[in-house]
Amino acid sequence: RASAGSLSNGLELSFTEPWLFDYPVFFGFDLYKRTHKRESDVGYGYDESITGGDIRLGKEISEYWKTGLTYRYDTIKITNISAGASNDLEDEYGTNSISSLDYDLTYDSRDNVFIPTKGNVLSNSIKLAGGPLGADKNFWKYSGRGEHYIPLFNESVLQMTGRVGLADTYSDTARIPIYERFFAGGAYTVRGYRERKVGPVDLSSDDPLGGNSMVIGNIEYIYPLISFLRAAAFYDVGNVWSKTNDIGSGGFKSGVGAGFRIKTPIGPIMLDYGFPLNKETGESKKRGGRLHFSMSHGF
């Protein structure tokens, strides 16, 4: 995925064997180097460089169910932190390694992966880092997602999506590293807000801090115009909280808007204009609408 204004770049080498030793088990690995430069418009108050790789094993349990296990090792370097940032951000400076094991379980009954009109997706992923796996960071992280598609008149579709994220360390004194926290705001979560600006922010630098818990909900009505173009209207709601047990406290941020879904040879493009219905964290007044440009795997 990519979004407008993002100063991201990287290199990635991937391999997947769908039938390992003639068994219905897939095996794969990834090697990558990704960098992201400090840019307030996309919610980064620092330069980030990630170098790492993973080994993947998975299996289709049935027509709709599949599961997978991934071992990952990353080295993350944080530099160029915004001037005047608080200790919360300054503590992230330097290089650290994460050794983790990810388990995921997915149910997918959509009639079409790229242009779904009916069906459901339920995905669950849990990540265990550190502990007996070693490296510098010790934490657990859960991510869950559900999608429901309802076919309506003239081949239009109502899509409802819900997401939840929870994370914590194994120690009361340690903190989740900022690059593993949950963020919201922008093209993929709550539209109408600046990238990663829904949730806790650094009061000194106004940079997003992310959090240990997140809830996101989206309702989207999609209407086909011509073969490669669809119109969409949406309502988004959600928030991010610093601690896991704070989830739900202090209410939610929401936004409404409309946009287009464009099918292109390089993948589907989403062009949305969202209006925030609440103030961003730390702001004295509500901002105006925002244009969001993004690419995704579905259409």
Side-chain angles (χ1 to χ4, degrees):
R1 290 178 170 179
S3 59
S6 174
L7 298 178
S8 298
N9 60 75
L11 298 172
E12 184 165 348
L13 173 66
S14 295
F15 170 82
T16 300
E17 169 55 61
W19 284 75
L20 184 63
F21 304 123
D22 293 327
Y23 286 96
V25 174
F26 73 78
F27 165 82
F29 66 84
D30 305 284
L31 300 172
Y32 46 82
K33 181 177 178 61
R34 307 178 185 124
T35 61
H36 201 122
K37 295 296 183 181
R38 190 178 76 190
E39 176 55 59
S40 60
D41 284 347
V42 291
Y44 277 81
Y46 49 87
D47 288 354
E48 178 183 272
S49 175
I50 301 176
T51 304
D54 62 56
I55 299 175
R56 298 175 274 111
L57 281 173
K59 179 178 174 57
E60 291 190 1
I61 303 173
S62 67
E63 180 182 2
Y64 299 131
W65 288 95
K66 66 178 181 179
T67 187
L69 191 66
T70 302
Y71 172 76
R72 187 185 313 275
Y73 191 92
D74 288 334
T75 299
I76 303 99
K77 185 177 182 180
I78 301 294
T79 56
N80 196 23
I81 293 174
S82 296
S86 68
N87 290 337
D88 202 324
L89 274 175
E90 290 288 352
D91 289 346
E92 302 292 344
Y93 183 86
T95 302
N96 287 284
S97 297
I98 295 179
S99 176
S100 64
L101 196 63
D102 296 64
Y103 173 74
D104 60 81
L105 179 65
T106 302
Y107 172 86
D108 189 346
S109 65
R110 292 174 295 177
D111 59 338
N112 188 298
V113 175
F114 300 103
I115 311 177
T117 62
K118 61 181 179 180
N120 299 282
V121 179
L122 298 172
S123 63
N124 297 273
S125 175
I126 188 163
K127 178 176 188 174
L128 303 176
L133 298 173
D136 301 318
K137 301 296 182 179
N138 302 277
F139 63 91
W140 61 266
K141 185 176 181 180
Y142 168 79
S143 299
R145 180 186 182 100
E147 301 176 21
H148 181 51
Y149 296 86
I150 303 174
L152 300 175
F153 58 90
N154 291 340
E155 298 183 346
S156 62
V157 179
L158 184 65
Q159 175 184 345
M160 294 180 285
T161 303
R163 279 176 282 176
V164 62
L166 300 169
D168 210 345
T169 63
Y170 306 135
S171 167
D172 293 336
T173 58
R175 290 183 297 188
I176 295 282
I178 194 167
Y179 35 83
E180 289 290 346
R181 297 174 193 172
F182 297 103
F183 291 88
Y188 300 110
T189 51
V190 185
R191 286 159 285 191
Y193 298 83
R194 290 180 292 170
E195 296 292 327
R196 297 158 56 110
K197 284 289 188 174
V198 171
V201 300
D202 188 306
L203 297 180
S204 301
S205 64
D206 196 38
D207 291 323
L209 294 174
N212 289 14
S213 55
M214 176 189 74
V215 173
I216 301 291
N218 314 97
I219 299 177
E220 187 160 299
Y221 174 70
I222 304 171
Y223 187 89
L225 300 176
I226 51 180
S227 61
F228 64 90
L229 182 65
R230 300 190 297 167
F234 58 83
Y235 171 76
D236 301 332
V237 62
N239 212 341
V240 172
W241 296 269
S242 297
K243 298 179 180 179
T244 303
N245 55 11
D246 288 341
I247 190 168
S249 63
F252 295 85
K253 308 288 187 182
S254 56
V256 296
F260 295 99
R261 307 290 173 262
I262 308 168
K263 188 176 183 180
T264 73
I266 61 172
I269 291 176
M270 300 168 61
L271 188 64
D272 292 320
Y273 197 89
F275 296 90
L277 300 181
N278 307 95
K279 296 183 295 184
E280 290 182 359
T281 306
E283 296 286 316
S284 58
K285 61 180 181 179
K286 186 173 65 175
R287 288 176 172 263
R290 293 186 66 83
L291 181 67
H292 301 284
F293 171 84
S294 57
M295 297 183 67
S296 68
H297 298 293
F299 179 65

